[in-house]
């Protein structure tokens, strides 16, 4: 069994707290590694080292910082298979899905190569007599990212890429459930030319999180995870004077109109609902067909597609549609919510509770589930399940379907499938959700747009990646400049326009 480390000052460092967490192979249920859980002292030591390294890094010009990102992209592509293997081994997702995880993170790094353009300020010549005015975008100092288990490559890159290229040092606290890939990313950043100490990876649990929240040298924090923890981090971080962005839970609806291509919609629901075992914040977990005929026809198409899904370990390659969930506790929670749906009166038309995989009986596999006749007061509708469970809520009208997504406390993503442009346009304009798909089931924006939900899915004013990332990881300084021209105006105590 392997003992993992932290990454401090450009080197692997053993933990000194004496506390460890087990890292499982989700396919077998076996412990494959131990990860150290940092103490407050260890975290503070990493932050102090980052603060020292940031001074020189922040003074490095943006073009040179961008070149580090360029080389990092090359190294990521070189090591794609190695990273994907490590990711699948700890998370459980299939190898194609693991490569997609890495690729979507890589795309944000590619966007960061444009830092010289994104960090340009503004200039006004002759704002007043002999007066010029200009703005500067400058790094914050030290920033931190607290990232989740479900995307152990993508979300760390979403956080650290923009932070680093803006001239900040960065403290990454990845999930203790699958920490190996973040450590590998740190190694590649060093190989790409990032100076030692600018990126630190500190593994840990709540003790490390609280140390991040309370350390006065950390100016900004980004978080992705559940809504209760997002609220906690946002509140405590803001009260400590930090800039904070937090992204929480989701309950993403897909509305299926009577005029939709139902085969296309069924395929989209299967991919969006069951990919990565449903462990995606942008997974579609609620289908809302409009009209009984639409609902009946949709369910008829969904059942055979779902029953044909192949569940197994990542080592089976392309023969597997999705793998296990990340822990035994996650599996137990999913099955508990499935049982609650049955008890509360929903119709379980595809029942995956008795799924067993020969040779992997101790793995954390969950069979696919499909509910019909779900109502909005049921736990399986209200709560984020984060598993391979799709709930169908039948709506009589478009307005009723719209209200399902509008009234839910989460507002991360949503989609509509229709052939009618007026309906699609009305949906996009009225819905109070952050990311919208029109005949697209998982509307994750590309790197040059921003990613973020509304309502209890997000806390903070700025989104992830895209232009918002450069705004979040920098502060603006405005300079008003005048050089003596021989004009004598005398002293004035009045506040007046410069022109």
């Amino acid at each position: 069994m392997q003992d993992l480390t932290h990454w401090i000052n450009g080197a692997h460092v053993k933990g000194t707290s004496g506390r460890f967490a087990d890292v499982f192979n989700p396919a077998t249920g076996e412990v494959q590694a131990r990860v150290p859980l940092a103490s407050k002292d260890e975290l503070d030591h990493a932050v102090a080292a980052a603060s020292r390294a940031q001074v020189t890094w922040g003074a490095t010009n943006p073009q040179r910082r961008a070149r580090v990102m360029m080389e990092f992209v090359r190294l990521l592509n070189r090591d794609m298979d190695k990273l994907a293997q490590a990711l699948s081994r700890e998370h459980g997702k299939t190898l194609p899905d693991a490569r997609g995880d890495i690729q979507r993170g890589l795309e944000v790094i590619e966007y960061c190569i444009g830092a010289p353009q994104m960090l340009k300020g503004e200039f006004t010549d002759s704002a007043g007599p002999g007066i010029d005015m200009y703005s500067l975008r400058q790094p914050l100092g030290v920033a931190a990212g607290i990232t989740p288990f479900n995307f152990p490559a993508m979300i760390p890159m979403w956080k650290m890429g923009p932070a680093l290229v803006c001239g900040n040092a960065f403290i990454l606290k990845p999930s203790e459930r699958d920490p190996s890939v973040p450590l590998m990313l740190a190694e590649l950043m060093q190989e790409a030319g990032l100076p030692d100490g600018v990126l630190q990876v500190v593994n840990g649990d709540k003790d490390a999180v609280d140390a991040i929240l309370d350390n006065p040298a950390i100016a900004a924090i980004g978080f992705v995870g559940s809504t209760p923890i997002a609220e906690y981090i946002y509140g405590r971080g803001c009260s400590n004077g930090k800039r904070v962005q937090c992204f929480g839970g989701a309950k993403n609806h897909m509305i299926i109109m009577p005029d939709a291509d139902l085969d296309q919609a069924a395929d989209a629901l299967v991919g969006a609902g069951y990919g990565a075992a449903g462990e995606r914040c942008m997974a579609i977990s609620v289908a809302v067909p409009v009209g009984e005929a639409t609902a009946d026809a949709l369910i008829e198409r969904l059942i055979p597609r779902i029953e044909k899904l192949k569940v197994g370990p990542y080592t089976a390659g392309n023969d597997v549609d999705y793998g296990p969930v990340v822990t035994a506790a996650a599996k137990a929670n999913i099955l508990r919510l499935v049982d609650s749906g049955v008890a509360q009166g929903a119709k379980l038309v595809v029942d995956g509770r008795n799924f067993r995989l020969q040779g992997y009986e101790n793995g954390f596999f969950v069979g696919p589930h499909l509910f019909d006749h779900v109502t909005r007061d049921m736990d399986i509708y209200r709560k984020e399940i984060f598993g391979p469970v799709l709930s169908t809520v039948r709506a009589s009208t478009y307005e009723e379907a719209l209200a399902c997504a509008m009234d839910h406390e989460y507002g991360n993503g949503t989609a509509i499938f229709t052939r009618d442009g007026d309906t699609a346009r009305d949906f996009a304009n009225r819905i109070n959700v952050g990311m919208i798909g029109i005949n697209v089931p998982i509307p994750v924006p590309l790197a040059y747009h921003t990613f973020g939900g509304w309502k209890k899915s997000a806390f903070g004013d700025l989104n992830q990646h895209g232009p918002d990332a450069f705004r979040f990881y920098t502060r603006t300084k405005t300079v008003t400049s005048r050089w003596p021209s021989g004009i004598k105006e005398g002293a004035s105590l009045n506040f007046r326009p410069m022109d």
Side-chain angles (χ1 to χ4, degrees):
M1 183 174 62
Q2 181 185 12
D3 275 353
L4 300 176
T5 62
H6 308 298
W7 178 265
I8 308 293
N9 274 335
H12 289 283
V13 175
K14 293 182 178 180
T16 60
S17 71
R19 297 190 307 121
F20 293 86
D22 291 334
V23 179
F24 291 91
N25 180 333
T28 64
E30 297 173 341
V31 177
Q32 58 183 329
R34 294 195 314 165
V35 60
L37 302 176
S39 65
K40 179 180 182 300
D41 287 344
E42 288 174 290
L43 187 283
D44 289 347
H45 170 72
V47 174
S51 296
R52 292 190 295 269
Q54 189 276 329
V55 176
T56 301
W57 177 244
T60 303
N61 72 60
Q63 189 166 345
R64 291 184 180 277
R65 298 198 297 256
R67 287 174 185 159
V68 173
M69 299 296 134
M70 292 174 67
E71 179 63 8
F72 182 63
V73 167
R74 186 188 71 80
L75 296 172
L76 277 174
N77 282 305
R78 182 197 70 185
D79 289 359
M80 178 70 74
D81 289 343
K82 178 181 176 182
L83 289 162
Q85 288 278 347
L87 196 158
S88 292
R89 190 166 53 248
E90 288 186 351
H91 178 277
K93 64 176 67 177
T94 65
L95 282 171
D97 201 30
R99 292 188 188 98
D101 184 333
I102 299 162
Q103 179 64 35
R104 291 308 292 263
L106 183 151
E107 289 167 4
V108 169
I109 302 297
E110 289 175 331
Y111 180 74
C112 290
I113 294 170
Q117 171 68 21
M118 297 302 299
L119 294 173
K120 287 196 308 185
E122 299 170 329
F123 184 88
T124 300
D125 177 64
S126 298
I131 296 174
D132 299 326
M133 191 173 295
Y134 59 95
S135 62
L136 309 171
R137 284 200 170 275
Q138 296 186 326
L140 302 174
V142 179
I146 303 166
T147 58
F149 75 87
N150 59 325
F151 285 97
M154 182 183 79
I155 296 179
M157 284 192 272
W158 282 13
K159 298 296 186 185
M160 71 184 187
L164 293 171
V165 84
C166 286
N168 301 285
F170 194 73
I171 309 295
L172 175 62
K173 205 300 287 181
S175 171
E176 62 274 26
R177 297 175 187 174
D178 43 13
S180 290
V181 169
L183 290 167
M184 295 167 72
L185 295 176
E187 292 174 340
L188 292 182
M189 273 290 184
Q190 182 190 53
E191 188 178 348
L194 190 72
D196 294 348
V198 175
L199 172 62
Q200 318 273 38
V201 181
V202 181
N203 291 298
D205 54 6
K206 187 177 182 296
D207 287 357
V209 170
D210 286 345
I212 288 170
L213 293 171
D214 294 340
N215 190 295
I218 294 176
I221 299 171
F223 168 81
V224 178
S226 69
T227 287
I229 299 175
E231 290 181 304
Y232 170 76
I233 289 174
Y234 187 73
R236 186 160 171 172
C238 289
S239 69
N240 285 332
K242 303 181 188 304
R243 185 178 293 186
V244 187
Q245 58 172 196
C246 292
F247 297 90
K251 198 72 178 180
N252 304 318
H253 298 66
M254 184 172 127
I255 295 174
I256 303 95
M257 297 299 293
D259 66 344
D261 182 326
L262 292 183
D263 287 312
Q264 182 190 52
D267 287 338
L269 280 167
V270 171
Y274 300 95
E279 292 178 322
R280 295 170 175 161
C281 68
M282 289 295 285
I284 294 292
S285 54
V286 182
V288 190
V290 176
E292 290 297 318
T294 306
D296 289 343
L298 181 67
I299 293 293
E300 182 181 354
R301 286 165 170 80
L302 283 172
I303 290 173
R305 286 170 166 83
I306 294 169
E307 289 179 338
K308 290 178 182 176
L309 288 173
K310 297 177 182 178
V311 184
Y314 80 94
T315 50
N318 294 331
D319 292 333
V320 173
D321 293 308
Y322 74 82
V325 297
V326 70
T327 62
K331 176 180 178 178
N333 183 62
I334 293 163
L335 295 178
R336 184 166 52 249
L337 282 166
V338 170
D339 287 341
S340 78
V342 173
Q344 292 172 7
K347 183 179 180 182
L348 186 57
V349 294
V350 177
D351 186 350
R353 287 177 294 180
N354 294 322
F355 177 84
R356 298 290 184 274
L357 189 63
Q358 186 175 359
Y360 294 89
E361 289 82 5
N362 295 322
F364 311 139
F365 293 96
V366 179
H369 297 76
L370 173 64
F371 278 103
D372 194 8
H373 298 286
V374 174
T375 58
R376 292 164 63 181
D377 60 335
M378 294 178 179
D379 288 345
I380 55 172
Y381 177 78
R382 293 185 301 105
K383 296 181 179 181
E384 184 178 34
I385 301 175
F386 228 56
V389 182
L390 179 64
S391 298
T392 306
V393 177
R394 295 178 176 228
S396 300
T397 64
Y398 166 68
E399 291 295 333
E400 184 181 333
L402 190 70
C404 289
M406 293 279 284
D407 295 345
H408 204 284
E409 66 176 336
Y410 294 130
N412 206 44
T414 188
I416 188 169
F417 272 61
T418 181
R419 289 185 172 99
D420 187 279
D422 287 341
T423 302
R425 190 172 188 275
D426 179 80
F427 179 78
N429 286 336
R430 289 173 59 191
I431 196 77
N432 58 350
V433 174
M435 290 170 284
I436 315 301
I438 297 173
N439 298 315
V440 174
I442 304 181
V444 177
L446 291 175
Y448 42 86
H449 289 269
T450 60
F451 178 108
W454 289 13
K455 296 183 283 188
K456 284 199 171 182
S457 292
F459 303 85
D461 298 326
L462 294 170
N463 288 338
Q464 300 181 97
H465 64 66
D468 269 11
F470 284 86
R471 299 183 186 106
F472 182 77
Y473 289 113
T474 60
R475 68 182 93 221
T476 302
K477 180 183 290 181
T478 305
V479 180
T480 303
S481 171
R482 179 171 66 179
W483 295 97
S485 60
I487 300 173
K488 297 184 181 293
E489 297 180 344
S492 173
L493 302 183
N494 298 321
F495 184 75
R496 62 183 184 179
M498 286 183 292
D499 58 356

